[in-house]
Amino acid sequence: MATAQELTPAAIRALTREVSAAEAEALHEQISQLMRQRIESGEWPEHLKLPAEPELAGALNVSRGTVRRAIRTLIEAGLLKQTRGKGTFVRGQMLEQEFAQELISTAQSLDREGVEYQTQVLSARVIQAPSHIAAHLGLPADDLSVLAIRRTRSVAGEVVYLLDNYLPTVLCPDLSPQVLQDRSLFGVLEHDYGVTVESVRRTFSAILPDDDVSAAMSLRPGVPLLYLEQISYQANGNSVEYSDVWVRGDRVRISSWIKR
Amino acid sequence: MATAQELTPAAIRALTREVSAAEAEALHEQISQLMRQRIESGEWPEHLKLPAEPELAGALNVSRGTVRRAIRTLIEAGLLKQTRGKGTFVRGQMLEQEFAQELISTAQSLDREGVEYQTQVLSARVIQAPSHIAAHLGLPADDLSVLAIRRTRSVAGEVVYLLDNYLPTVLCPDLSPQVLQDRSLFGVLEHDYGVTVESVRRTFSAILPDDDVSAAMSLRPGVPLLYLEQISYQANGNSVEYSDVWVRGDRVRISSWIKR
């Protein structure tokens, strides 16, 4: 498995020289303060991996408990993050979403990052599918009806995602859109309708939003968005859902670890 | 393996009704013309899969050769594309790049799409790495020198990619940037320096370019770009290369097929 670049021994030594047991300030506070300066200055960039706690404690000549407490402070401040089995990393200010590589939804991806978010259903209505959506969903010419649901996902009171989902009404005739305020669409399809999404096709591009999207996301003009088209398939190859998703380009990054 | 939605039997029957053996126009021309109308109107959207040739020939009541000739015409016109072992698909006007999912370079990705492109080296110089790049590359404090190379990749005379690559000079002390006009960076690292890239970390976001990037890409103001940060690693976990890549958001889509 790939790993991020780790902090160099020289960088740790530089830190050590600034830690003083003689100072009144608690050691863990000195350490977290020095680390904070390096993160905020960009000297320790996003994704940089910190050495393991015992190694860091040894290099700084302090106890493991002191290191752990300093790191805890910075995790709570949102400057570091710990990934189980992988280590401690400098955290960026952007949300990182791995959904170009993994079959996880935007909701699951936010959950994984430990980010709190709210979902709001803006509208839900049965419409005749536009022709490109009808074709992607393989709808028969005599029944083009789809449930069209528009939702937003907000983080810290700011709309980060706008999601337009289109579902053939035959698939989930009695779906109440309000359940999608608290539950994921894939989860509802699987648990309430026995429809399992086995694969998705996603394409990402960069766009400037039109007035409709800007209004729904409460954007000021000129904010670039990631535009994502998604088509979801069952194991038998039949498509079950088409979506257009708009993502704040200045808040969210799509992230992939790719191995040869 | 996931497959795109296939053209429905009803859509094929609709086509059949319009094909007439009595007309003077050759059958293959009638068929390619009817298909072209459906693609250009959006009724047959991007990624739609056509049935296999024998099936299509049977449904249209013409020979396989006639179908094959009609399809060939539309492939040459850039409206359909064939992927070996997968089938024939409606082609979009955007370039599709799978590099959020696979360890392929922008060059390999264009090759795979069958797109002709030109690479131009704009500048190459040895500089002291900025601190975030030094950290990502794990450079020692006493040798921050990196080879910084700026290149463009153009399709049909238009700059589609701007690539800034940073390589530790110790890794490839005598690298001549001009070789990167014709060869891929990963290929040169592997074949000329024995350095194999085993994994990459890529993050994508949407941005509006600054003046420097706009000028290098000859962009009019307001074109949104995909911005990609890439860090490449050897099998031992050491990073070998850092890049910033800017991608025309109105020309290129990043595409992923994701399986559960």
Side-chain angles (χ1 to χ4, degrees), chain A residues 158-162 207-226 246-251:
Chain A
E158 195 173 56
V159 175
V160 172
Y161 293 101
L162 175 67
I207 60 151
L208 284 174
D210 61 21
D211 293 346
D212 175 45
V213 169
S214 292
M217 297 183 77
S218 308
L219 293 177
R220 57 181 172 72
V223 173
L225 301 182
L226 288 164
W246 293 269
V247 186
R248 282 282 293 258
D250 55 344
R251 293 283 178 274

Side-chain angles (χ1 to χ4, degrees), chain B residues 68-235:
Chain B
R68 194 175 306 125
R69 210 161 147 193
I71 287 176
R72 180 62 43 204
T73 302
L74 295 175
I75 289 173
E76 283 166 7
L79 295 172
L80 292 177
K81 65 175 167 183
Q82 275 175 337
T83 309
R84 206 174 306 177
K86 291 194 177 167
T88 306
F89 300 87
V90 174
R91 180 178 200 139
Q93 294 314 297
M94 302 270 279
L95 296 170
E96 297 253 339
Q97 309 279 272
E98 293 177 345
F99 53 49
Q101 200 178 19
E102 284 188 64
L103 210 167
I104 52 171
S105 65
T106 55
Q108 289 170 314
S109 191
L110 289 168
D111 284 340
R112 188 187 288 184
E113 280 270 292
V115 173
E116 281 195 38
Y117 61 90
Q118 287 75 42
T119 304
Q120 196 185 350
V121 176
L122 297 187
S123 65
R125 56 210 170 91
V126 173
I127 61 168
Q128 295 299 98
S131 62
H132 71 287
I133 294 177
H136 279 310
L137 291 176
L139 298 179
D142 61 351
D143 185 6
L144 297 175
S145 74
V146 287
L147 178 59
I149 306 162
R150 168 164 280 195
R151 292 177 296 165
T152 55
R153 290 223 152 93
S154 304
V155 174
E158 196 173 55
V159 174
V160 172
Y161 294 100
L162 176 67
L163 305 104
D164 279 355
N165 302 107
Y166 299 87
L167 296 154
T169 49
V170 290
L171 206 69
C172 44
D174 56 351
L175 176 68
S176 159
Q178 289 313 310
V179 304
L180 299 176
Q181 205 125 313
D182 302 312
R183 294 170 59 197
S184 80
L185 178 60
F186 286 3
V188 168
L189 284 176
E190 181 159 352
H191 295 112
D192 299 7
Y193 298 96
V195 173
T196 304
V197 172
E198 189 62 28
S199 64
V200 299
R201 190 179 180 296
R202 288 174 171 158
T203 57
F204 299 88
S205 55
I207 61 152
L208 284 175
D210 62 20
D211 292 346
D212 176 44
V213 168
S214 292
M217 297 183 78
S218 308
L219 293 177
R220 56 179 174 73
V223 172
L225 300 182
L226 289 164
Y227 164 65
L228 156 61
E229 185 192 70
Q230 170 177 290
I231 308 166
S232 308
Y233 300 90
Q234 290 178 279

Side-chain angles (χ1 to χ4, degrees), chain A residues 46 92-96 113 248-253, chain B residues 205:
Chain A
E46 199 178 339
Q93 294 315 297
M94 302 270 280
L95 297 170
E96 298 253 339
E113 281 269 293
R248 282 282 293 258
D250 55 344
R251 293 283 178 274
V252 178
R253 277 180 164 181
Chain B
S205 55

